[in-house]
Amino acid sequence: MNRLLKLMEEKLLPFAHRVAGQRHLGALRDGFITLIPLLIIGSIFLIIQNFPIPGWDVKQVEWFGAAFPDLITLPAKATFDLLSLYVVFAISYRLAQHYKMDAITTGILSLVSFLIIAPKTLKSESGEVISNVIPMGEWFGSKGLLVAIIIAILVTEIYNFFLKRKIIIKMPEQVPPTVAKAFSALIPAFTMFSLMLVVSILFLQTPYHSLNEFIYVMLAKPITLFIANNVFGALATCISITLLWSIGINSGSLVNGVLRPFWLDLQKENMNAIQAGQPLPNIITEQFFDMIWIGGAGTTLAVAIILIFRAKSRQFKELGRIAGAPGLFNINEPILFGLPIILSPLMLIPFNLAPVAITVVNYFAMYFDLVARPTGVVIPWTTPPIIQGFMITNSWTGAVLQVVDLIIAGLIYYPFIKMVDRQKYKEEITEK
């Protein structure tokens, strides 16, 4: 185990730091983090409409009128169904900040470029095709995220290329800086918009009819099917997060930032199924992993509970009390660095094993419909366990599953904690 840790420190740690510091991945991560409050608010309104009280669907119509179910979901539609528009701006904005460019202008250029590329047709219920509209959902929702990410990065890089080489319209010094900045964007903007228009026209001549359809069929769909939406992909995600945490890298935001675009599409499919009154098609969403990280990465709330009630060492018992409160809100640095778990050859075994076991249990419990699947609603990551499971699945079965998860994690951690606690207890007796 020591040799493995040394190898990870020498080889994996530098590589992980380079990946975490990569500007495009950083912009991707920060852009999505910026939008999380928006998604949480939209999800709250979806929860109100689908609150798990028998007869609530009938009562809300009786109390507030027949239009209420559609009206109450408008905030959710305005966030999730236009998500690609916000993402293209947010990622471009963050990347422009890295280059110390005018972030607002860059974000707007990316937004307009995306609008030029994205299909702008809508098919009515009668089958009539309506042109020149921005339909909510489809390519402007989660389905268009991959194209939004590509355009955000491409436009920002092109704009940075023009600015660095001063291929811009230069205004006299007497002109106010704000006006000068606006004119400096003219040549890059014309070039980018022309490029997007040419790409859009070229794809109209293909069977795909749009860049969005091409990217979705060739990239997004296969990645979602073979990586993001199966038990093996879930296990790979889980292991990659705990392995990186094992050497002290806060890997959740890094891994989530890469996979979030694919998870969001799966979440949206589940939301659409709820609206249509159909069974939820997907198990793997970002919230599936939220249910696993009870107390934080490694499912460490179980560790705090064991320390509080079973530790003989005064130091560990006190650590459990200190770590218990933040652990309820999925903050586990006191446990990770106080026990410690990080870089501990012994404690890293259950730290990596417990989440894997829980991932398998949770996946198949949902696969065989013993537990409700994640609805797709986004809730704050600090939501306490049990409540979290209920809100994610909109069912009491989700809350029960998290209790089972805690027990499984506790059984895996207990023999290892007992060993380190016995050693610490002996040290404390010797010191006396």
Side-chain angles (χ1 to χ4, degrees), residues 385-421:
I386 316 304
I387 297 172
Q388 183 189 58
F390 174 78
M391 293 180 69
I392 286 173
T393 61
N394 206 27
S395 168
W396 61 269
T397 57
V400 172
L401 180 61
Q402 283 203 298
V403 174
V404 174
D405 290 343
L406 263 176
I407 294 170
I408 293 171
L411 291 172
I412 292 172
Y413 271 110
Y414 183 72
F416 296 91
I417 294 174
K418 192 172 181 180
M419 281 187 276
V420 295
D421 178 56

mmCIF file of all heavy atoms in Angstrom, residues 385-421:
data_model
loop_
_atom_site.group_PDB
_atom_site.id
_atom_site.type_symbol
_atom_site.label_atom_id
_atom_site.label_comp_id
_atom_site.label_asym_id
_atom_site.label_seq_id
_atom_site.Cartn_x
_atom_site.Cartn_y
_atom_site.Cartn_z
ATOM 1 N N PRO A 385 -28.150 14.228 4.903
ATOM 2 C CA PRO A 385 -28.589 12.896 4.461
ATOM 3 C C PRO A 385 -29.964 12.552 5.022
ATOM 4 O O PRO A 385 -30.407 13.149 5.990
ATOM 5 C CB PRO A 385 -27.507 11.966 5.030
ATOM 6 C CG PRO A 385 -26.320 12.840 5.241
ATOM 7 C CD PRO A 385 -26.853 14.197 5.585
ATOM 8 N N ILE A 386 -30.589 11.591 4.465
ATOM 9 C CA ILE A 386 -31.952 11.136 4.741
ATOM 10 C C ILE A 386 -32.946 12.128 4.131
ATOM 11 O O ILE A 386 -33.749 11.749 3.271
ATOM 12 C CB ILE A 386 -32.244 10.959 6.265
ATOM 13 C CG1 ILE A 386 -31.084 10.263 6.967
ATOM 14 C CG2 ILE A 386 -33.561 10.209 6.446
ATOM 15 C CD1 ILE A 386 -30.686 8.938 6.405
ATOM 16 N N ILE A 387 -32.874 13.408 4.553
ATOM 17 C CA ILE A 387 -33.694 14.447 3.897
ATOM 18 C C ILE A 387 -33.285 14.523 2.426
ATOM 19 O O ILE A 387 -34.119 14.639 1.534
ATOM 20 C CB ILE A 387 -33.486 15.815 4.580
ATOM 21 C CG1 ILE A 387 -33.957 15.766 6.029
ATOM 22 C CG2 ILE A 387 -34.221 16.924 3.813
ATOM 23 C CD1 ILE A 387 -33.622 17.005 6.821
ATOM 24 N N GLN A 388 -31.989 14.460 2.204
ATOM 25 C CA GLN A 388 -31.438 14.513 0.850
ATOM 26 C C GLN A 388 -31.994 13.384 -0.019
ATOM 27 O O GLN A 388 -32.446 13.606 -1.146
ATOM 28 C CB GLN A 388 -29.916 14.421 0.927
ATOM 29 C CG GLN A 388 -29.197 14.527 -0.393
ATOM 30 C CD GLN A 388 -27.716 14.213 -0.227
ATOM 31 O OE1 GLN A 388 -27.344 13.131 0.232
ATOM 32 N NE2 GLN A 388 -26.872 15.161 -0.589
ATOM 33 N N GLY A 389 -31.970 12.160 0.506
ATOM 34 C CA GLY A 389 -32.477 11.015 -0.248
ATOM 35 C C GLY A 389 -33.938 11.154 -0.595
ATOM 36 O O GLY A 389 -34.370 10.791 -1.700
ATOM 37 N N PHE A 390 -34.718 11.692 0.354
ATOM 38 C CA PHE A 390 -36.146 11.909 0.115
ATOM 39 C C PHE A 390 -36.365 12.927 -0.999
ATOM 40 O O PHE A 390 -37.178 12.718 -1.908
ATOM 41 C CB PHE A 390 -36.814 12.381 1.405
ATOM 42 C CG PHE A 390 -38.253 12.772 1.235
ATOM 43 C CD1 PHE A 390 -39.246 11.808 1.149
ATOM 44 C CD2 PHE A 390 -38.620 14.111 1.144
ATOM 45 C CE1 PHE A 390 -40.576 12.171 0.979
ATOM 46 C CE2 PHE A 390 -39.940 14.485 0.977
ATOM 47 C CZ PHE A 390 -40.926 13.508 0.899
ATOM 48 N N MET A 391 -35.624 14.040 -0.952
ATOM 49 C CA MET A 391 -35.823 15.116 -1.927
ATOM 50 C C MET A 391 -35.325 14.721 -3.319
ATOM 51 O O MET A 391 -35.929 15.090 -4.327
ATOM 52 C CB MET A 391 -35.101 16.385 -1.456
ATOM 53 C CG MET A 391 -35.692 16.994 -0.196
ATOM 54 S SD MET A 391 -34.814 18.493 0.325
ATOM 55 C CE MET A 391 -35.268 19.615 -0.996
ATOM 56 N N ILE A 392 -34.244 13.966 -3.386
ATOM 57 C CA ILE A 392 -33.683 13.573 -4.685
ATOM 58 C C ILE A 392 -34.600 12.607 -5.423
ATOM 59 O O ILE A 392 -34.779 12.706 -6.639
ATOM 60 C CB ILE A 392 -32.279 12.950 -4.493
ATOM 61 C CG1 ILE A 392 -31.266 14.054 -4.179
ATOM 62 C CG2 ILE A 392 -31.840 12.160 -5.729
ATOM 63 C CD1 ILE A 392 -29.895 13.552 -3.809
ATOM 64 N N THR A 393 -35.201 11.675 -4.689
ATOM 65 C CA THR A 393 -36.058 10.660 -5.321
ATOM 66 C C THR A 393 -37.540 10.991 -5.244
ATOM 67 O O THR A 393 -38.353 10.318 -5.861
ATOM 68 C CB THR A 393 -35.832 9.286 -4.660
ATOM 69 O OG1 THR A 393 -36.188 9.380 -3.270
ATOM 70 C CG2 THR A 393 -34.381 8.853 -4.787
ATOM 71 N N ASN A 394 -37.873 12.030 -4.427
ATOM 72 C CA ASN A 394 -39.278 12.388 -4.211
ATOM 73 C C ASN A 394 -40.054 11.203 -3.622
ATOM 74 O O ASN A 394 -41.232 10.998 -3.921
ATOM 75 C CB ASN A 394 -39.929 12.837 -5.524
ATOM 76 C CG ASN A 394 -41.096 13.782 -5.291
ATOM 77 O OD1 ASN A 394 -41.138 14.490 -4.282
ATOM 78 N ND2 ASN A 394 -42.052 13.801 -6.195
ATOM 79 N N SER A 395 -39.342 10.420 -2.781
ATOM 80 C CA SER A 395 -39.953 9.216 -2.221
ATOM 81 C C SER A 395 -39.282 8.857 -0.895
ATOM 82 O O SER A 395 -38.079 9.096 -0.710
ATOM 83 C CB SER A 395 -39.800 8.046 -3.203
ATOM 84 O OG SER A 395 -40.122 6.817 -2.598
ATOM 85 N N TRP A 396 -40.053 8.253 -0.005
ATOM 86 C CA TRP A 396 -39.502 7.801 1.277
ATOM 87 C C TRP A 396 -38.455 6.697 1.067
ATOM 88 O O TRP A 396 -37.580 6.497 1.911
ATOM 89 C CB TRP A 396 -40.618 7.289 2.191
ATOM 90 C CG TRP A 396 -41.379 6.108 1.643
ATOM 91 C CD1 TRP A 396 -42.505 6.142 0.882
ATOM 92 C CD2 TRP A 396 -41.052 4.716 1.800
ATOM 93 N NE1 TRP A 396 -42.912 4.862 0.548
ATOM 94 C CE2 TRP A 396 -42.033 3.970 1.107
ATOM 95 C CE3 TRP A 396 -40.024 4.037 2.468
ATOM 96 C CZ2 TRP A 396 -42.023 2.577 1.059
ATOM 97 C CZ3 TRP A 396 -40.010 2.648 2.405
ATOM 98 C CH2 TRP A 396 -40.992 1.939 1.714
ATOM 99 N N THR A 397 -38.551 5.997 -0.076
ATOM 100 C CA THR A 397 -37.581 4.916 -0.322
ATOM 101 C C THR A 397 -36.158 5.461 -0.464
ATOM 102 O O THR A 397 -35.191 4.777 -0.122
ATOM 103 C CB THR A 397 -37.954 4.129 -1.589
ATOM 104 O OG1 THR A 397 -38.028 5.025 -2.713
ATOM 105 C CG2 THR A 397 -39.284 3.420 -1.422
ATOM 106 N N GLY A 398 -36.028 6.689 -0.980
ATOM 107 C CA GLY A 398 -34.715 7.306 -1.082
ATOM 108 C C GLY A 398 -34.113 7.579 0.285
ATOM 109 O O GLY A 398 -32.899 7.401 0.492
ATOM 110 N N ALA A 399 -34.955 7.987 1.232
ATOM 111 C CA ALA A 399 -34.488 8.234 2.600
ATOM 112 C C ALA A 399 -34.050 6.923 3.260
ATOM 113 O O ALA A 399 -32.995 6.862 3.907
ATOM 114 C CB ALA A 399 -35.600 8.893 3.412
ATOM 115 N N VAL A 400 -34.835 5.881 3.073
ATOM 116 C CA VAL A 400 -34.494 4.571 3.646
ATOM 117 C C VAL A 400 -33.193 4.049 3.048
ATOM 118 O O VAL A 400 -32.349 3.483 3.751
ATOM 119 C CB VAL A 400 -35.641 3.561 3.413
ATOM 120 C CG1 VAL A 400 -35.219 2.157 3.834
ATOM 121 C CG2 VAL A 400 -36.884 3.990 4.183
ATOM 122 N N LEU A 401 -33.005 4.264 1.742
ATOM 123 C CA LEU A 401 -31.792 3.788 1.081
ATOM 124 C C LEU A 401 -30.549 4.438 1.694
ATOM 125 O O LEU A 401 -29.527 3.774 1.882
ATOM 126 C CB LEU A 401 -31.854 4.077 -0.417
ATOM 127 C CG LEU A 401 -30.640 3.617 -1.238
ATOM 128 C CD1 LEU A 401 -30.459 2.106 -1.145
ATOM 129 C CD2 LEU A 401 -30.776 4.040 -2.699
ATOM 130 N N GLN A 402 -30.637 5.717 2.027
ATOM 131 C CA GLN A 402 -29.477 6.374 2.627
ATOM 132 C C GLN A 402 -29.187 5.841 4.033
ATOM 133 O O GLN A 402 -28.019 5.799 4.444
ATOM 134 C CB GLN A 402 -29.674 7.889 2.651
ATOM 135 C CG GLN A 402 -29.449 8.535 1.288
ATOM 136 C CD GLN A 402 -29.108 9.998 1.384
ATOM 137 O OE1 GLN A 402 -29.897 10.804 1.873
ATOM 138 N NE2 GLN A 402 -27.912 10.359 0.921
ATOM 139 N N VAL A 403 -30.215 5.428 4.747
ATOM 140 C CA VAL A 403 -29.991 4.776 6.049
ATOM 141 C C VAL A 403 -29.233 3.458 5.843
ATOM 142 O O VAL A 403 -28.267 3.148 6.559
ATOM 143 C CB VAL A 403 -31.331 4.521 6.776
ATOM 144 C CG1 VAL A 403 -31.099 3.710 8.050
ATOM 145 C CG2 VAL A 403 -32.024 5.831 7.110
ATOM 146 N N VAL A 404 -29.672 2.684 4.840
ATOM 147 C CA VAL A 404 -28.996 1.427 4.517
ATOM 148 C C VAL A 404 -27.548 1.698 4.102
ATOM 149 O O VAL A 404 -26.620 0.977 4.502
ATOM 150 C CB VAL A 404 -29.751 0.681 3.395
ATOM 151 C CG1 VAL A 404 -28.975 -0.555 2.942
ATOM 152 C CG2 VAL A 404 -31.146 0.280 3.868
ATOM 153 N N ASP A 405 -27.360 2.744 3.304
ATOM 154 C CA ASP A 405 -26.004 3.112 2.860
ATOM 155 C C ASP A 405 -25.101 3.418 4.058
ATOM 156 O O ASP A 405 -23.928 3.009 4.089
ATOM 157 C CB ASP A 405 -26.051 4.331 1.944
ATOM 158 C CG ASP A 405 -26.669 4.020 0.585
ATOM 159 O OD1 ASP A 405 -26.767 2.830 0.241
ATOM 160 O OD2 ASP A 405 -27.052 4.968 -0.123
ATOM 161 N N LEU A 406 -25.634 4.145 5.017
ATOM 162 C CA LEU A 406 -24.853 4.475 6.221
ATOM 163 C C LEU A 406 -24.446 3.218 6.975
ATOM 164 O O LEU A 406 -23.320 3.110 7.471
ATOM 165 C CB LEU A 406 -25.672 5.388 7.139
ATOM 166 C CG LEU A 406 -25.406 6.890 7.047
ATOM 167 C CD1 LEU A 406 -26.357 7.653 7.954
ATOM 168 C CD2 LEU A 406 -23.958 7.217 7.416
ATOM 169 N N ILE A 407 -25.361 2.277 7.070
ATOM 170 C CA ILE A 407 -25.066 1.020 7.761
ATOM 171 C C ILE A 407 -23.975 0.246 7.028
ATOM 172 O O ILE A 407 -23.036 -0.273 7.634
ATOM 173 C CB ILE A 407 -26.354 0.163 7.899
ATOM 174 C CG1 ILE A 407 -27.353 0.866 8.821
ATOM 175 C CG2 ILE A 407 -26.023 -1.237 8.425
ATOM 176 C CD1 ILE A 407 -28.731 0.236 8.834
ATOM 177 N N ILE A 408 -24.095 0.164 5.686
ATOM 178 C CA ILE A 408 -23.083 -0.536 4.884
ATOM 179 C C ILE A 408 -21.718 0.120 5.069
ATOM 180 O O ILE A 408 -20.702 -0.559 5.293
ATOM 181 C CB ILE A 408 -23.476 -0.530 3.391
ATOM 182 C CG1 ILE A 408 -24.726 -1.385 3.165
ATOM 183 C CG2 ILE A 408 -22.324 -1.039 2.514
ATOM 184 C CD1 ILE A 408 -25.320 -1.261 1.777
ATOM 185 N N ALA A 409 -21.674 1.447 4.962
ATOM 186 C CA ALA A 409 -20.410 2.163 5.137
ATOM 187 C C ALA A 409 -19.841 1.935 6.532
ATOM 188 O O ALA A 409 -18.635 1.731 6.697
ATOM 189 C CB ALA A 409 -20.618 3.653 4.885
ATOM 190 N N GLY A 410 -20.725 1.956 7.535
ATOM 191 C CA GLY A 410 -20.275 1.734 8.910
ATOM 192 C C GLY A 410 -19.668 0.358 9.100
ATOM 193 O O GLY A 410 -18.629 0.217 9.766
ATOM 194 N N LEU A 411 -20.281 -0.661 8.514
ATOM 195 C CA LEU A 411 -19.749 -2.027 8.630
ATOM 196 C C LEU A 411 -18.381 -2.159 7.954
ATOM 197 O O LEU A 411 -17.520 -2.910 8.417
ATOM 198 C CB LEU A 411 -20.737 -3.016 8.007
ATOM 199 C CG LEU A 411 -22.069 -3.199 8.758
ATOM 200 C CD1 LEU A 411 -23.034 -4.051 7.946
ATOM 201 C CD2 LEU A 411 -21.826 -3.821 10.126
ATOM 202 N N ILE A 412 -18.200 -1.447 6.857
ATOM 203 C CA ILE A 412 -16.910 -1.501 6.153
ATOM 204 C C ILE A 412 -15.836 -0.739 6.929
ATOM 205 O O ILE A 412 -14.694 -1.194 7.059
ATOM 206 C CB ILE A 412 -17.060 -0.946 4.719
ATOM 207 C CG1 ILE A 412 -17.936 -1.896 3.883
ATOM 208 C CG2 ILE A 412 -15.690 -0.771 4.048
ATOM 209 C CD1 ILE A 412 -18.310 -1.358 2.521
ATOM 210 N N TYR A 413 -16.195 0.422 7.453
ATOM 211 C CA TYR A 413 -15.215 1.255 8.164
ATOM 212 C C TYR A 413 -14.858 0.711 9.556
ATOM 213 O O TYR A 413 -13.725 0.884 10.021
ATOM 214 C CB TYR A 413 -15.764 2.675 8.337
ATOM 215 C CG TYR A 413 -15.459 3.624 7.206
ATOM 216 C CD1 TYR A 413 -16.462 4.067 6.338
ATOM 217 C CD2 TYR A 413 -14.168 4.104 7.008
ATOM 218 C CE1 TYR A 413 -16.189 4.949 5.311
ATOM 219 C CE2 TYR A 413 -13.884 4.992 5.983
ATOM 220 C CZ TYR A 413 -14.901 5.422 5.129
ATOM 221 O OH TYR A 413 -14.620 6.291 4.115
ATOM 222 N N TYR A 414 -15.816 0.059 10.219
ATOM 223 C CA TYR A 414 -15.661 -0.254 11.636
ATOM 224 C C TYR A 414 -14.380 -1.024 11.990
ATOM 225 O O TYR A 414 -13.637 -0.605 12.904
ATOM 226 C CB TYR A 414 -16.888 -1.019 12.153
ATOM 227 C CG TYR A 414 -16.801 -1.311 13.630
ATOM 228 C CD1 TYR A 414 -16.958 -0.291 14.567
ATOM 229 C CD2 TYR A 414 -16.542 -2.599 14.101
ATOM 230 C CE1 TYR A 414 -16.872 -0.537 15.930
ATOM 231 C CE2 TYR A 414 -16.442 -2.865 15.448
ATOM 232 C CZ TYR A 414 -16.615 -1.828 16.355
ATOM 233 O OH TYR A 414 -16.507 -2.083 17.703
ATOM 234 N N PRO A 415 -14.051 -2.134 11.324
ATOM 235 C CA PRO A 415 -12.830 -2.861 11.720
ATOM 236 C C PRO A 415 -11.556 -2.032 11.555
ATOM 237 O O PRO A 415 -10.612 -2.172 12.346
ATOM 238 C CB PRO A 415 -12.816 -4.082 10.789
ATOM 239 C CG PRO A 415 -13.764 -3.782 9.703
ATOM 240 C CD PRO A 415 -14.767 -2.842 10.241
ATOM 241 N N PHE A 416 -11.519 -1.165 10.583
ATOM 242 C CA PHE A 416 -10.335 -0.327 10.371
ATOM 243 C C PHE A 416 -10.243 0.771 11.436
ATOM 244 O O PHE A 416 -9.154 1.059 11.943
ATOM 245 C CB PHE A 416 -10.382 0.298 8.972
ATOM 246 C CG PHE A 416 -10.310 -0.711 7.859
ATOM 247 C CD1 PHE A 416 -11.472 -1.257 7.318
ATOM 248 C CD2 PHE A 416 -9.085 -1.127 7.366
ATOM 249 C CE1 PHE A 416 -11.417 -2.190 6.299
ATOM 250 C CE2 PHE A 416 -9.009 -2.062 6.348
ATOM 251 C CZ PHE A 416 -10.175 -2.603 5.809
ATOM 252 N N ILE A 417 -11.391 1.357 11.757
ATOM 253 C CA ILE A 417 -11.403 2.375 12.814
ATOM 254 C C ILE A 417 -11.029 1.744 14.151
ATOM 255 O O ILE A 417 -10.315 2.346 14.962
ATOM 256 C CB ILE A 417 -12.795 3.046 12.897
ATOM 257 C CG1 ILE A 417 -13.065 3.838 11.622
ATOM 258 C CG2 ILE A 417 -12.889 3.962 14.121
ATOM 259 C CD1 ILE A 417 -14.454 4.424 11.540
ATOM 260 N N LYS A 418 -11.493 0.535 14.375
ATOM 261 C CA LYS A 418 -11.177 -0.156 15.621
ATOM 262 C C LYS A 418 -9.668 -0.347 15.766
ATOM 263 O O LYS A 418 -9.108 -0.187 16.870
ATOM 264 C CB LYS A 418 -11.895 -1.510 15.648
ATOM 265 C CG LYS A 418 -11.865 -2.191 17.005
ATOM 266 C CD LYS A 418 -12.751 -3.422 17.006
ATOM 267 C CE LYS A 418 -12.744 -4.094 18.375
ATOM 268 N NZ LYS A 418 -13.607 -5.295 18.395
ATOM 269 N N MET A 419 -8.992 -0.659 14.651
ATOM 270 C CA MET A 419 -7.542 -0.857 14.699
ATOM 271 C C MET A 419 -6.806 0.435 15.041
ATOM 272 O O MET A 419 -5.934 0.460 15.913
ATOM 273 C CB MET A 419 -7.054 -1.418 13.353
ATOM 274 C CG MET A 419 -7.291 -2.913 13.184
ATOM 275 S SD MET A 419 -6.515 -3.554 11.669
ATOM 276 C CE MET A 419 -7.771 -3.167 10.467
ATOM 277 N N VAL A 420 -7.156 1.534 14.330
ATOM 278 C CA VAL A 420 -6.441 2.792 14.589
ATOM 279 C C VAL A 420 -6.814 3.366 15.960
ATOM 280 O O VAL A 420 -5.983 3.993 16.631
ATOM 281 C CB VAL A 420 -6.711 3.823 13.473
ATOM 282 C CG1 VAL A 420 -6.149 3.340 12.148
ATOM 283 C CG2 VAL A 420 -8.189 4.148 13.340
ATOM 284 N N ASP A 421 -8.053 3.121 16.381
ATOM 285 C CA ASP A 421 -8.484 3.601 17.695
ATOM 286 C C ASP A 421 -7.745 2.862 18.808
ATOM 287 O O ASP A 421 -7.336 3.477 19.814
ATOM 288 C CB ASP A 421 -9.998 3.409 17.840
ATOM 289 C CG ASP A 421 -10.497 3.845 19.210
ATOM 290 O OD1 ASP A 421 -10.260 5.007 19.589
ATOM 291 O OD2 ASP A 421 -11.115 3.004 19.900
#
